Amino acid sequence: MAETEASLLRQFPLFLPQNRAKTVYEGFISAQGRDFQLRILLPEDLQLKNARLLCSWQLRTVLNGYHQIVQQRMQHSPDLMSFLMELKMVLYPAESPDCFVDLPVSFSVSWTPQSSLISIHSQFLAALESLKTFWDVMDEIDEKTWVLEPEKPTRSATARRIVLGNNASINIEVDPMHPTMLPECCFLGADHVVKPLGIKLSRNIHLWDPENSLLQNLRDVLEIDFPARAILEKSDFSRDCGICYAYQLDGAIPDQVCDNSQCGQPFHQICLYEHFSNLVLAQELFPLLLQKEIKKWLRGLLTSRQSFNIIFGECPYCSKPITLKMSGRKP
């Protein structure tokens, strides 16, 4: 209690208790370069929700239109200090208040010392309206396709990784300000599956019509229909990594796929990297180990090698050649 009173005195040195029971506070609070007179009458139990607020006519004029907000904060503020800090914010601070929003674009507040919270609210509503088309686009994708990532997208998320089938997927990055234009596209999966899709995208790019929805345009240029999760058989899309047998690993999901059409097993990039790195290391450390009983373990060593950021090896499942290209950095 003493600490709270000391904080109150530091923040509001002109607002002091008027009796020993500290049920009456009176004085001034400073905001917007001005001092506003205020008197607060607390009940004997000191519960702020039952307090009375007496304002000078200047303060009453400034708070005009904020009565419900003030009453709400009196009901929910844990103590007098917290309430006065929130009241000071309502009194149009000279500097723009910090605004935290879940939007896919930056939200910059236009603010002057004469601005109010109402003006911020109006600017926020305008920002929401400008993003309506973007959210309609993303909602349609979430509703009509199987989205792998993010599993629970926020309203600020601009990317979606969508299942195409056959252990293949497409990652799209949508421009929030131009949501019906061609997004950035990255295909993930076995080469024999995703290369034809890349060719179709290049060949049919002229078919993209901004008047149509983004999802419809993707259907048209890729010449496919996105399978819904409810009807896609599990055998058509294996979710778990073939090495660690998990779906998510440190937030990542399998994004490397064996190119053998008879296999198509997915792997985490880091799992394949560690698997091949161990084989390469073993080859360097044990070049003379030729005993018959370990030949089976060593059979993949001759094909496991690394060149810059590309590792060449064999699929741990079907032994067909597989190439792992590290994305910018080693795990």
Side-chain angles (χ1 to χ4, degrees), residues 1 5 16-25 42 44 46:
M1 178 68 71
E5 292 177 359
L16 302 171
Q18 302 298 304
N19 60 359
R20 183 172 297 179
K22 297 182 179 179
T23 58
V24 179
Y25 281 81
L42 295 168
E44 293 183 359
L46 303 181

Side-chain angles (χ1 to χ4, degrees), residues 25-321:
Y25 281 81
E26 186 171 4
F28 298 87
I29 59 174
S30 300
Q32 205 180 13
R34 301 167 59 188
D35 293 332
F36 296 95
Q37 188 173 7
L38 176 66
R39 181 180 176 90
I40 295 180
L41 306 178
L42 295 168
E44 293 183 359
D45 59 6
L46 303 181
Q47 292 296 311
L48 189 62
K49 63 182 179 181
N50 296 321
R52 291 180 59 198
L53 193 67
L54 304 177
C55 307
S56 63
W57 68 267
Q58 295 97 333
L59 182 56
R60 189 178 298 110
T61 300
V62 172
L63 291 177
N64 184 36
Y66 292 98
H67 296 106
Q68 289 186 344
I69 295 178
V70 173
Q71 289 294 326
Q72 181 191 51
R73 298 325 305 152
M74 288 183 67
Q75 291 291 320
H76 298 286
S77 294
D79 50 49
L80 182 59
M81 172 73 175
S82 299
F83 170 71
L84 290 176
M85 292 298 292
E86 295 192 34
L87 180 62
K88 189 174 180 179
M89 180 63 71
V90 174
L91 294 176
Y92 313 168
E95 296 182 0
S96 171
D98 293 330
C99 299
F100 301 94
V101 298
D102 186 31
L103 300 179
V105 296
S106 61
F107 180 63
S108 300
V109 175
S110 176
W111 184 264
T112 68
Q114 290 73 41
S115 297
S116 68
L117 295 183
I118 292 178
S119 67
I120 293 182
H121 184 250
S122 299
Q123 293 174 57
F124 179 67
L125 292 180
L128 294 183
E129 183 63 27
S130 69
L131 292 166
K132 183 178 183 304
T133 302
F134 166 74
W135 282 320
D136 288 343
V137 165
M138 306 309 278
D139 288 343
E140 182 183 24
I141 292 173
D142 293 337
E143 178 184 351
K144 297 181 179 179
T145 69
W146 180 359
V147 175
L148 291 175
E149 294 181 293
E151 290 188 342
K152 296 179 179 179
T154 64
R155 300 309 273 174
S156 61
T158 59
R160 294 291 190 275
R161 181 177 170 188
I162 309 169
V163 170
L164 299 175
N166 297 320
N167 288 341
S169 59
I170 180 174
N171 191 80
I172 62 171
E173 184 76 33
V174 181
D175 183 349
M177 303 313 298
H178 305 91
T180 60
M181 301 301 290
L182 177 67
E184 294 183 22
C185 299
C186 177
F187 294 101
L188 302 167
D191 286 346
H192 74 277
V193 176
V194 300
K195 279 188 176 180
L197 293 173
I199 293 173
K200 289 180 180 178
L201 179 61
S202 299
R203 184 182 63 201
N204 297 331
I205 194 67
H206 66 282
L207 298 177
W208 195 277
D209 185 356
E211 296 298 320
N212 294 334
S213 72
L214 184 143
L215 185 59
Q216 184 58 52
N217 275 313
L218 286 176
R219 291 190 184 110
D220 293 341
V221 299
L222 297 179
E223 300 177 6
I224 63 171
D225 194 11
F226 292 92
R229 183 171 187 171
I231 62 174
L232 190 66
E233 296 293 335
K234 185 173 179 60
S235 59
D236 292 333
F237 196 92
S238 177
R239 291 165 54 90
D240 298 336
C241 172
I243 295 176
C244 71
Y245 304 109
Y247 178 57
Q248 284 201 348
L249 181 65
D250 295 332
I253 66 176
D255 59 359
Q256 307 292 319
V257 179
C258 176
D259 195 36
N260 180 8
S261 60
Q262 301 300 317
C263 177
Q265 177 64 45
F267 305 96
H268 292 115
Q269 184 184 84
I270 189 173
C271 291
L272 267 184
Y273 174 80
E274 293 181 351
H275 172 76
F276 290 151
S277 295
N278 289 337
L279 292 179
V280 172
L281 179 62
Q283 183 177 356
E284 294 174 351
L285 294 178
F286 308 110
L288 301 179
L289 293 180
L290 300 176
Q291 292 91 335
K292 182 177 180 180
E293 59 270 19
I294 64 171
K295 281 186 177 180
K296 184 177 180 179
W297 181 75
L298 292 174
R299 69 181 180 84
L301 295 183
L302 295 178
T303 57
S304 297
R305 59 187 180 85
Q306 182 169 355
S307 176
F308 297 101
N309 66 329
I310 300 178
I311 299 179
F312 303 90
E314 291 183 353
C315 174
Y317 274 65
C318 68
S319 300
K320 295 295 184 181

